[in-house]
Each structure stands twice: as C-alpha cells, then as structure tokens.
Amino acid sequence: MAEMGVTARRYMAAYALFNQAMADRLQLHPTDLQCLNLLGLERDPVTTGRIAELTGLTTGSATRLVDRLERAGYVTRRRDSGDRRKVLVATVPERLAQLGAVWSQLSGEWFAMFDTCGDEEIALLCAHMRRTVELSAVQISRLRSGALD
C-alpha cells in the first residue's frame, strides 16, 4: 500500500501537470480545459447550472468559467427555444477541432501505452477509473462542504 500511495501521488501530479501544460498551450485555465472536455461528453447544449454540476463549481464560478470560454471563442450562449428563461451553453465545433488537433498529435503515444495490456487489464483499469470518478465526486463534496473543518 505504501508503494501504491507514492505511485498514486506521482500519477495525480503528472496528470495535473500535463493538464496545465495542455491548458497553457491552448491559452486556457486548466479548469476551463476540463470543462471543455466534459462539455464534449454532453449530447446537447447545457445550462450554466449543469456546468456547475459537472465541474463541482458554484454557479457563480461556473458563470465566470463560461464567460472566459465565450471570450476565447470555445462556447456560445443562446436562449432555450423551449424555455426562454434558460440560457444554454454550446461548444463551437471549429474551436473544439483546434483542441482536438493538439490532442491528436499526442494521443497516439497514450493509446500505444495500452497496446500491451490484455482485455482483463483494460477492464481493471476502466473499473478503477470509474470508481475514481465516483469517489472524487464524494471527496470534492466533503472538501467544499467544510466537513473536514
């Protein structure tokens, strides 16, 4: 377990530093980059409230995030045709394609890293990632709620 603890810390730091470098390359804040990642997984445009849910940010912080992404040309806002009170945030495909172009220059090496893994190893890694996403949401909630104070 000690080795896992050290390895996990190095893994998380490596991911955070990679995310920062990618965000720097695209002239984005690291949180904004991850928001674009999450928006790319959504089927339809979303409200700022949904962005707050996806990112764990307050609605005020999510609004400022959307402001930054809109200024950078990555998203647009428009009124919901079904409910004019709602404002929907949609990604700009051409700008996401630019992000995708940077990622495609890097992704081959990431995917090649898994070429030696068998189906069972891939399944284990996927299960671990799903559990990590779930636990991270719980831990973020604990941190933000003041439960640790």
Side-chain angles (χ1 to χ4, degrees):
M1 287 308 292
E3 182 182 355
M4 185 181 291
V6 169
T7 302
R9 288 175 60 191
R10 289 185 192 283
Y11 175 82
M12 288 184 284
Y15 178 78
L17 294 169
F18 171 78
N19 188 62
Q20 180 69 58
M22 183 75 149
D24 290 348
R25 171 71 180 218
L26 297 166
Q27 298 180 324
L28 292 169
H29 186 280
T31 303
D32 299 2
L33 176 60
Q34 288 311 308
C35 179
L36 286 172
N37 173 41
L38 293 169
L39 288 175
L41 298 172
E42 294 290 302
R43 212 179 78 225
D44 297 311
V46 298
T47 64
T48 302
R50 175 68 178 144
I51 290 172
E53 290 173 15
L54 290 169
T55 59
L57 296 171
T58 65
T59 54
S61 292
T63 297
R64 288 188 294 281
L65 184 153
V66 172
D67 290 343
R68 290 190 304 269
L69 290 177
E70 188 175 39
R71 277 193 305 274
Y74 283 97
V75 300
T76 59
R77 289 179 167 115
R78 65 174 166 78
R79 294 259 175 228
D80 184 342
S81 59
D83 182 349
R84 301 286 299 158
R85 296 170 294 174
K86 283 185 185 176
V87 175
L88 298 176
V89 177
T91 56
V92 175
E94 299 81 17
R95 291 294 279 156
L96 285 187
Q98 292 171 344
L99 189 152
V102 174
W103 174 245
S104 68
Q105 292 177 20
L106 302 168
S107 63
E109 292 174 63
W110 290 107
F111 293 126
M113 184 172 60
F114 298 107
D115 284 345
T116 61
C117 296
D119 290 346
E120 287 182 16
E121 289 171 299
I122 296 293
L124 174 68
L125 290 168
C126 288
H128 166 72
M129 288 182 215
R130 279 191 293 278
R131 288 192 305 264
T132 299
V133 168
E134 293 166 6
L135 180 58
S136 291
V138 170
Q139 300 294 44
I140 289 167
S141 179
R142 287 182 67 206
L143 287 164
R144 293 205 168 126
S145 72
L148 301 179
D149 297 338

